[in-house]
Each structure stands twice: as structure tokens, then as C-alpha cells.
Amino acid sequence: MESAIPPHLRCPRTREPRASQDYTPPYPAWVARLKPSVTQLGMGYFGVQYARADQADAAFGTLTTLLQQFASEGGPGHHDLARYVDEAGFITLVAIGYWEDAADLRRWLATPVVAQWWNDPVRTQEGLGHFREIVYPRAANLETLFSTPDRFEGVAVLAEGRSDDIQEHGYWGSARDRLPASQTDALRGSGAPTVANRSGPRVTLHGHDGLALIRSGQEWTETSGHERDLYLQQVEPVLAKGMRFLSHEGAAIGCHLNRYMQHVDTQGHPLEKSFGLSYWRSLEHLERWSESHPTHIAIFGTFMNMVQEMNFNLKLRLYHEVAVAQAGDQLYEYVNCHPCTGMMRGVVAGSFMLGQATAPKGAESD
């Protein structure tokens, strides 16, 4: 068993971890090992939203364009495709890209094939909403966790390898202990998202210091029989309820946005993989929800019931990635999106009341 923190990022602690040095976790878990040369990565969430069924083909055409851009010079080392329906009933397709070097993502965004398409006035006229949410997490402010050692998801696909069994998991606060920066940094959040520029339907926001991002996922492709029934009939409904709470009411407890997404293939067909993506005012706000809020306690309890009933012998795959980013390492851009999209919620929404929002005719609902 070893520490989740890679050797090259270990240093004398000035802040105590949540667990004692002789703590032994109740089950094994693993983390991804990035190359020691990786100091700052790039993550990009590129979305297209629509409200009417007759806009589906155009939106999928945009997704195809994004994939072509990903395949161009300087594109991401790994990408995922996902779909969800947001709080206002808008259907959203998202292409998620991961770059091993933040500078590579910045250069790719500036390439003509990407920049000209994004800045084209047509983006404001075609009846679709577009967004790109960019985060550049530093390696010292990033951690991953996996329930199985043989396949990675998300940013971990860029890793050069994995750890042995790690010590820092299986207790509240373990995510913080896995972050190398937490050895000396309280990782506090401060400030709030701000409008950097607004020109008609184009809105650019800056983030704030200490923002926490979590992508937490599950895959049930290999499950069968009783385990599959337990997950789909007992665990997933409770998970979905918790995700809905964060999407609709999370702002009150420090959650800027939450998306409960399902992976899709290049044809738009759903896969048996899903994840929640949420941005938080701070790691502390995320921890507080995880440790004490009834919605997460219900998720955790239902899952542990499943684990015990299956005697810890699961085919269900679980993972997450957590990053804490400073204001200068975030950029959020929205074109023709409804005013409660992503980080715009609570910043530029004005008198738009989410509870009164009605998607145009033809929109799906949760």
C-alpha cells in the first residue's frame, strides 16, 4: 500500500491529514499516475444546447464539427461524449477534451479551425446555444480515484500508469488528503464568478479562486443479474435524485452547477456509463455536502447496502476526478445560451427565475 500522492509531489506536511498514519482502508482503490513532467493540464467542456426536437439534427451536426476539431492538429489526448437535459429542459450534447499540457489547449483554441468557427456570427443566428468551459488544473491540485485498477476514465486516460493500493480513501475527507497541494495549503475558496464581457448573446465569465470541480462516474456495462438489478432499481434512482437536487437547488449549499450526464457514442447512442459533473465554491462546500447532506448520505448508504449484499464482489466500476482551480485558470464562454446555463446561473440571469422557466415547445423534460 502506498500514498495517493506521487513521490515527486510529496513534501513535509504543515497541515494534518484527516486519517492517521496507521489507517488501513476497508477495501482497495487506485489512483492514476501522471508523468512527473506534467505540471498543469487542460480540460475543456464544449457544449451545444437546444430546446426543440426539430433542432436535434443541427445540434448533432455541431457535435460532429467539434469532433472534427478535436481530430485537428493539437487536439486533446482523450475525449468523451455525453448528453443530458438541464434544469430548464434544454437538451445538451457535450464533447469533453483533456490535454496533458495547458499550453497545448490554449494553442488549440487559437488555431484558425477552432477560433474562426467559434467567433463566426452564425453561432448567434442558428437557434442553438453553445458554450465552452475551460479549466487548467495544476497537477498538485488534481486527484483521481478508481474502484478497479484495469481501466481509467476522464483525465486519467492521459496517465502513464497507476498506483498500487492507496491508503487515503474510504473515509470522509480522503479526497482532500489525496490532493498534493493539501499537504501545505488549506485550499480555501474566495470570490465569485464574474462577467468579463457581454456582447449581445455572447457572454464570457471569469471564475474565482479555490473553485472545486468534481466529475464522479459509474459504469454498469459488465454488471448482470442481481447486481445489475440492485444498481438500476435501487442505487441509480437515489443517485439521480441527489443529482437533481444539486442541479436545481445546489446553489444554496455552494454548488455553482451540476450536470448528470450519460455517455454517448459518436452516433449519439447512450452507453451504460454516466457521471455527475459539478463546480463548487470551494472544496469545503463539496466536502460538507458529501459528509452531511441527506441527498449524499442516501446515495452513499444505498451504495454500501449494495456492496454488502454483493459481498464486495462488484462488476460496477466507479471513479472520480477532483480539481481545485484558481481564478486565472478558468474561462467560461456562452453563446446564445439560456441565462441559467452553466456558470451563468446566478451571475447574469437577472430576473430569469429557474422555477418559472419554460422550454420552447418540443423540449424534453427530466
Side-chain angles (χ1 to χ4, degrees):
M1 190 165 58
E2 63 175 318
S3 173
I5 298 175
H8 71 285
L9 291 177
R10 294 173 196 164
C11 67
R13 275 191 175 272
T14 60
R15 301 189 62 82
E16 288 297 314
R18 291 285 291 269
S20 63
Q21 290 185 348
D22 59 356
Y23 167 78
T24 300
Y27 47 85
W30 299 263
V31 301
R33 292 292 194 217
L34 297 168
K35 298 175 186 175
S37 59
V38 175
T39 58
Q40 188 173 20
L41 302 97
M43 298 179 178
Y45 287 78
F46 303 86
V48 54
Q49 67 177 205
Y50 62 102
R52 302 192 315 271
D54 62 1
Q55 296 174 305
D57 288 345
F60 193 79
T62 294
L63 188 68
T64 301
T65 297
L66 290 169
L67 286 176
Q68 292 169 348
Q69 293 175 1
F70 276 4
S72 66
E73 184 176 357
H78 173 68
H79 71 267
D80 293 313
L81 304 178
R83 178 190 185 277
Y84 71 102
V85 180
D86 74 12
E87 308 92 295
F90 284 70
I91 307 154
T92 307
L93 304 175
V94 184
I96 307 159
Y98 293 95
W99 283 258
E100 197 173 48
D101 190 327
D104 292 339
L105 172 50
R106 290 188 175 98
R107 281 191 291 267
W108 179 80
L109 290 171
T111 59
V113 68
V114 177
Q116 290 176 8
W117 181 87
W118 178 255
N119 293 315
D120 192 325
V122 171
R123 299 286 82 76
T124 66
Q125 301 163 4
E126 57 194 352
L128 302 173
H130 303 275
F131 64 82
R132 54 188 195 183
E133 298 169 349
I134 310 297
V135 180
Y136 300 103
R138 308 204 176 247
N141 286 38
L142 174 70
E143 66 92 6
T144 60
L145 188 69
F146 291 85
S147 67
T148 56
D150 58 330
R151 189 163 73 240
F152 283 157
E153 295 283 352
V155 71
V157 177
L158 303 181
E160 67 172 359
R162 65 163 175 84
S163 68
D164 291 329
D165 295 2
I166 60 159
Q167 183 183 35
E168 302 94 334
H169 76 95
Y171 59 91
W172 300 122
S174 59
R176 180 183 292 268
D177 287 350
R178 290 189 296 272
L179 288 164
S182 72
Q183 297 170 104
T184 59
D185 189 339
L187 298 170
R188 294 189 177 93
S190 62
T194 57
V195 177
N197 184 60
R198 185 169 190 175
S199 178
R202 289 184 178 268
V203 180
T204 301
L205 305 181
H206 286 161
H208 62 83
D209 287 342
L211 176 138
L213 176 154
I214 180 169
R215 172 178 168 176
S216 182
Q218 44 282 321
E219 178 182 356
W220 59 98
T221 306
E222 298 168 4
T223 64
S224 61
H226 187 50
E227 179 186 1
R228 190 176 183 86
D229 289 342
L230 284 173
Y231 176 72
L232 293 176
Q233 297 175 18
Q234 296 186 24
V235 177
E236 198 284 330
V238 177
L239 172 61
K241 183 178 180 180
M243 293 293 98
R244 282 194 298 273
F245 167 79
L246 290 181
S247 297
H248 291 262
E249 303 177 57
I253 59 169
C255 181
H256 291 309
L257 71 90
N258 181 73
R259 298 174 177 133
Y260 185 35
M261 298 195 259
Q262 185 161 7
H263 286 253
V264 297
D265 63 20
T266 55
Q267 302 303 310
H269 302 135
L271 305 177
E272 294 188 330
K273 301 164 64 175
S274 66
F275 62 93
L277 170 74
S278 55
Y279 294 2
W280 293 77
R281 286 170 53 193
S282 70
L283 183 60
E284 182 181 358
H285 284 88
L286 170 58
E287 289 172 321
R288 196 176 301 151
W289 175 71
S290 298
E291 294 183 26
S292 62
H293 197 276
T295 54
H296 190 264
I297 297 302
I299 294 169
F300 181 78
T302 306
F303 171 71
M304 290 309 299
N305 289 340
M306 174 184 173
V307 169
Q308 292 167 8
E309 190 162 340
M310 295 301 298
N311 197 27
F312 287 83
N313 183 22
L314 298 178
K315 296 294 185 182
L316 180 70
R317 295 175 179 268
L318 304 171
Y319 74 94
H320 80 222
E321 61 193 41
V322 172
V324 177
Q326 299 303 94
D329 294 332
Q330 304 162 54
L331 181 64
Y332 308 98
E333 299 179 283
Y334 303 89
V335 180
N336 209 36
C337 292
H338 73 72
C340 279
T341 302
M343 293 292 281
M344 287 202 297
R345 179 176 180 165
V347 180
V348 297
S351 61
F352 183 93
M353 300 299 293
L354 187 60
Q356 299 173 0
T358 303
K361 185 178 181 180
E364 295 184 20
S365 59
D366 276 316

